[in-house]
Coordinates of all heavy atoms in Angstrom, one line a residue:
F1 N 14.4 -153.3 113.0 CA 13.6 -152.1 113.4 C 13.9 -150.9 112.5 O 13.0 -150.2 112.1 CB 14.0 -151.7 114.9 CG 13.5 -150.4 115.3 CD1 12.1 -150.3 115.7 CD2 14.2 -149.2 115.3 CE1 11.6 -149.1 116.1 CE2 13.7 -148.0 115.7 CZ 12.4 -147.9 116.1
L2 N 15.2 -150.8 112.1 CA 15.6 -149.7 111.1 C 14.8 -149.9 109.8 O 14.3 -148.9 109.2 CB 17.1 -149.8 110.9 CG 17.7 -148.7 110.1 CD1 17.7 -147.3 110.8 CD2 19.2 -149.0 109.7
G3 N 14.8 -151.1 109.3 CA 14.1 -151.4 108.1 C 12.6 -151.1 108.2 O 12.0 -150.5 107.2
C4 N 12.0 -151.5 109.3 CA 10.5 -151.3 109.4 C 10.2 -149.8 109.5 O 9.3 -149.3 108.9 CB 10.0 -151.9 110.7 SG 10.0 -153.7 110.6
Y5 N 11.1 -149.0 110.2 CA 10.9 -147.6 110.4 C 11.1 -146.9 109.0 O 10.3 -146.0 108.6 CB 11.8 -147.0 111.4 CG 11.6 -145.5 111.7 CD1 10.5 -145.1 112.5 CD2 12.4 -144.6 111.2 CE1 10.3 -143.8 112.7 CE2 12.2 -143.2 111.4 CZ 11.2 -142.8 112.2 OH 10.9 -141.5 112.4
G6 N 12.1 -147.4 108.3 CA 12.3 -146.8 107.0 C 11.2 -147.1 106.0 O 10.9 -146.2 105.2
A7 N 10.6 -148.3 106.1 CA 9.5 -148.6 105.2 C 8.3 -147.7 105.6 O 7.5 -147.2 104.7 CB 9.2 -150.1 105.3
I8 N 8.0 -147.5 106.8 CA 6.8 -146.7 107.3 C 7.0 -145.3 106.8 O 6.1 -144.7 106.3 CB 6.7 -146.8 108.8 CG1 6.3 -148.3 109.2 CG2 5.6 -145.8 109.3 CD1 6.3 -148.5 110.7
Q9 N 8.2 -144.8 107.0 CA 8.5 -143.4 106.6 C 8.8 -143.2 105.2 O 8.9 -142.1 104.7 CB 9.7 -142.9 107.4 CG 9.5 -142.8 108.9 CD 8.4 -141.9 109.3 OE1 8.2 -140.8 108.8 NE2 7.6 -142.3 110.3
E10 N 8.9 -144.3 104.4 CA 9.2 -144.3 103.0 C 10.5 -143.5 102.8 O 10.6 -142.7 101.9 CB 8.1 -143.7 102.2 CG 6.8 -144.5 102.3 CD 5.7 -144.0 101.3 OE1 5.9 -143.0 100.7 OE2 4.6 -144.7 101.3
S11 N 11.5 -143.9 103.6 CA 12.8 -143.2 103.5 C 13.8 -144.1 102.7 O 14.1 -145.2 103.1 CB 13.3 -142.9 104.9 OG 14.7 -142.5 104.9
Q12 N 14.3 -143.5 101.6 CA 15.2 -144.3 100.8 C 16.6 -144.4 101.6 O 17.3 -145.4 101.4 CB 15.5 -143.6 99.5 CG 14.2 -143.6 98.6 CD 14.6 -143.0 97.2 OE1 15.6 -143.4 96.6 NE2 13.7 -142.1 96.7
C13 N 16.9 -143.3 102.3 CA 18.2 -143.4 103.1 C 18.2 -144.5 104.1 O 19.1 -145.2 104.2 CB 18.4 -142.0 103.8 SG 19.9 -141.9 104.8
L14 N 17.1 -144.6 104.9 CA 17.0 -145.7 105.9 C 17.0 -147.1 105.2 O 17.6 -148.0 105.7 CB 15.8 -145.5 106.8 CG 15.9 -144.3 107.8 CD1 14.5 -144.2 108.5 CD2 17.0 -144.6 108.8
L15 N 16.3 -147.2 104.1 CA 16.2 -148.5 103.4 C 17.6 -148.8 102.8 O 18.0 -150.0 102.8 CB 15.1 -148.4 102.4 CG 13.7 -148.5 102.9 CD1 12.7 -148.3 101.7 CD2 13.4 -149.8 103.6
G16 N 18.3 -147.8 102.3 CA 19.6 -148.0 101.8 C 20.6 -148.5 102.9 O 21.4 -149.4 102.7
T17 N 20.5 -147.8 104.1 CA 21.3 -148.2 105.2 C 20.9 -149.6 105.7 O 21.8 -150.4 106.0 CB 21.1 -147.2 106.4 OG1 21.3 -145.9 106.0 CG2 22.0 -147.6 107.6
F18 N 19.6 -149.9 105.7 CA 19.2 -151.3 106.0 C 19.8 -152.3 105.1 O 20.3 -153.4 105.5 CB 17.6 -151.3 105.9 CG 17.0 -152.7 106.1 CD1 17.0 -153.3 107.3 CD2 16.4 -153.3 105.1 CE1 16.5 -154.5 107.5 CE2 15.8 -154.5 105.2 CZ 15.8 -155.1 106.5
F19 N 19.8 -152.0 103.8 CA 20.4 -153.0 102.8 C 21.9 -153.1 103.0 O 22.4 -154.3 103.0 CB 20.1 -152.4 101.4 CG 20.7 -153.3 100.3 CD1 20.1 -154.4 99.9 CD2 21.9 -152.9 99.7 CE1 20.6 -155.2 98.9 CE2 22.5 -153.7 98.7 CZ 21.8 -154.9 98.3
T20 N 22.6 -152.0 103.3 CA 24.0 -152.1 103.5 C 24.4 -152.9 104.8 O 25.3 -153.8 104.7 CB 24.6 -150.7 103.7 OG1 24.3 -149.9 102.6 CG2 26.1 -150.7 103.9
C21 N 23.6 -152.7 105.8 CA 23.8 -153.5 107.0 C 23.6 -155.0 106.8 O 24.3 -155.9 107.3 CB 22.9 -153.0 108.2 SG 23.3 -151.4 108.8
L22 N 22.6 -155.3 106.0 CA 22.3 -156.7 105.7 C 23.4 -157.3 104.9 O 23.8 -158.5 105.1 CB 21.0 -156.8 104.9 CG 19.7 -156.6 105.6 CD1 18.5 -156.7 104.7 CD2 19.6 -157.6 106.8
V23 N 24.0 -156.6 103.9 CA 25.1 -157.1 103.2 C 26.3 -157.4 104.1 O 26.9 -158.5 104.0 CB 25.5 -156.1 102.1 CG1 26.8 -156.5 101.4 CG2 24.4 -155.9 101.0
I24 N 26.6 -156.5 105.0 CA 27.7 -156.7 106.0 C 27.4 -158.0 106.8 O 28.3 -158.8 107.1 CB 27.9 -155.5 106.9 CG1 28.3 -154.3 106.0 CG2 28.9 -155.8 108.0 CD1 28.4 -153.0 106.7
L25 N 26.2 -158.1 107.4 CA 25.8 -159.2 108.2 C 25.9 -160.5 107.4 O 26.3 -161.6 107.9 CB 24.4 -159.0 108.8 CG 24.2 -158.0 109.9 CD1 22.8 -157.9 110.2 CD2 25.0 -158.4 111.1
F26 N 25.5 -160.5 106.1 CA 25.5 -161.7 105.3 C 27.0 -162.1 105.1 O 27.3 -163.3 105.1 CB 24.9 -161.4 103.9 CG 24.8 -162.6 103.0 CD1 23.8 -163.5 103.3 CD2 25.6 -162.7 102.0 CE1 23.7 -164.7 102.4 CE2 25.5 -163.8 101.2 CZ 24.6 -164.8 101.4
A27 N 27.9 -161.1 104.9 CA 29.3 -161.5 104.7 C 29.8 -162.1 106.0 O 30.6 -163.1 105.9 CB 30.1 -160.2 104.4
C28 N 29.4 -161.6 107.2 CA 29.8 -162.2 108.4 C 29.3 -163.6 108.6 O 30.0 -164.5 109.1 CB 29.3 -161.3 109.6 SG 30.1 -159.7 109.7

């Protein structure tokens, strides 16, 4: 949901947060 909202709003901050969360989840 965070990634979708960031893409709709074209927010680099939200997309960067989305990427960081994915990296953490991938490590888990």
Side-chain angles (χ1 to χ4, degrees):
F1 173 78
L2 184 70
C4 289
Y5 185 75
I8 293 173
Q9 296 296 322
E10 297 185 356
S11 170
Q12 294 186 47
C13 179
L14 286 176
L15 288 173
T17 305
F18 175 69
F19 178 82
T20 303
C21 291
L22 286 179
V23 172
I24 296 173
L25 288 175
F26 185 78
C28 292

